[in-house]
Amino acid sequence: MENILEAKIQTFSYGEDLVLKDLNISIEKGEIIVLTGLSGCGKTTLLRILNGLIPSFYDGDLDGKIKLLGKDISIYKKGELAKYIGNVFQNPRDQFFCDVVEDEIALVGENLGLDRKLLKEKVDRAMNLLEISHLRKKSIFELSGGERQKVAIAGTLIYDTDIIFFDELSSSLDHESIRNFEEILLKLRALGKTIVIAEHRIHYLKNIFSRLFYMKDGTVQGVYQNNEFNNEKCK
């Protein structure tokens, strides 16, 4: 399989605060990757480096290289990463710019200049896949946490992005929504998406991840295939 994303990080720091060190990660197309570890281990910072939010939106000093689809991520033009990368944040509401569900889902396609007819078809298809067509005209602010998450995921499907990043989503979801999220991940994998999840609660992912990267003290302490992992290894 080809590597869709590669990272070689010697160090990353916020000012004097060293956050990451000695990291070497390769992710293959179609994998479900979990980045896990205790709070403060560096998994969210690593996610932000992999998806290009560092240095675009967050400052820091990076000594290392990130390659997306074989090309250095710094070479991509501003806004171009949205064609290849989708993001669903810990609180999806923080990433919304529109008031109405349908408009929010369509936003990325509008910004990237998709044909209006094609855009409508893609919005309809995404809402059908995630079973949220009934929310089409609802206000974003009326949705539950699980519904907001589905809207954010639908937005990543409009330009058919190769990779979708998720950051600590289970922290804002109830048990039923977490179970639904597991089903959504399986649907995304069936579409050929590469999925990277930073998450400290991993029980709902234990049957579906391809590889798990256990992080501690700013580096990867262990990499586990699905059939190799148990909680005792991450202590």
Side-chain angles (χ1 to χ4, degrees):
M1 293 288 290
E2 61 178 316
N3 288 332
I4 195 169
L5 191 63
E6 299 174 71
K8 294 182 179 180
I9 301 172
Q10 282 72 52
T11 59
F12 176 81
S13 59
Y14 295 112
E16 298 297 319
D17 185 14
L18 180 64
V19 181
L20 299 176
K21 59 186 178 183
D22 302 325
L23 277 166
N24 193 341
I25 292 176
S26 297
I27 296 173
E28 296 179 355
K29 183 174 176 58
E31 285 193 292
I32 296 180
I33 297 295
V34 177
L35 309 175
T36 195
L38 299 177
S39 179
C41 70
K43 59 184 181 294
T44 293
T45 296
L46 176 57
L47 195 77
R48 290 172 177 172
I49 291 174
L50 294 176
N51 66 13
L53 292 179
I54 293 174
S56 296
F57 294 95
Y58 298 93
D59 292 329
D61 299 310
L62 173 64
D63 179 8
K65 294 288 184 182
I66 313 299
K67 285 188 176 182
L68 171 66
L69 297 169
K71 189 167 75 171
D72 194 298
I73 201 169
S74 64
I75 296 176
Y76 290 88
K77 296 177 182 178
K78 187 174 182 180
E80 189 181 5
L81 287 178
K83 295 179 180 180
Y84 309 101
I85 288 175
N87 291 292
V88 182
F89 300 145
Q90 184 171 349
N91 182 359
R93 184 169 172 175
D94 292 341
Q95 69 189 88
F96 293 152
F97 291 90
C98 301
D99 294 334
V100 178
V101 167
E102 183 179 35
D103 296 340
E104 179 60 39
I105 295 172
L107 185 61
V108 169
E110 290 177 346
N111 289 341
L112 294 173
L114 278 183
D115 174 79
R116 296 293 300 178
K117 181 181 178 181
L118 177 60
L119 178 57
K120 185 181 184 307
E121 291 173 357
K122 283 180 171 286
V123 170
D124 290 345
R125 196 177 306 140
M127 286 194 292
N128 288 335
L129 178 71
L130 294 166
E131 301 178 355
I132 55 172
S133 295
H134 61 291
L135 302 177
R136 179 185 299 273
K137 298 299 182 182
K138 289 198 71 171
S139 167
I140 291 290
F141 305 103
E142 297 174 1
L143 305 182
S144 68
E147 288 171 338
R148 288 197 297 269
Q149 183 191 86
K150 290 180 180 180
V151 170
I153 295 170
T156 72
L157 300 178
I158 299 308
Y159 209 85
D160 199 22
T161 54
D162 294 290
I163 309 174
I164 306 176
F165 290 90
F166 295 90
D167 187 15
E168 297 280 8
L169 288 183
S170 71
S171 63
S172 61
L173 300 179
D174 58 26
H175 178 74
E176 182 65 23
S177 296
I178 289 174
R179 192 176 72 176
N180 288 338
F181 179 50
E182 181 180 356
E183 295 173 359
I184 290 169
L185 289 176
L186 292 174
K187 288 182 179 180
L188 295 175
R189 183 172 66 182
L191 291 174
K193 303 297 181 184
T194 303
I195 298 165
V196 183
I197 308 165
E199 179 65 274
H200 70 282
R201 296 166 64 182
I202 57 175
H203 63 278
Y204 71 99
L205 299 168
K206 61 183 173 60
N207 294 321
I208 63 174
F209 72 78
S210 307
R211 287 184 296 155
L212 180 145
F213 291 80
Y214 173 61
M215 297 184 64
K216 185 177 181 181
D217 299 329
T219 193
V220 174
Q221 297 279 344
V223 180
Y224 303 101
Q225 302 287 336
N226 189 286
N227 59 0
E228 299 174 335
F229 175 74
N230 62 66
N231 289 328
E232 292 300 314
K233 294 186 176 183
C234 293
K235 290 186 177 179

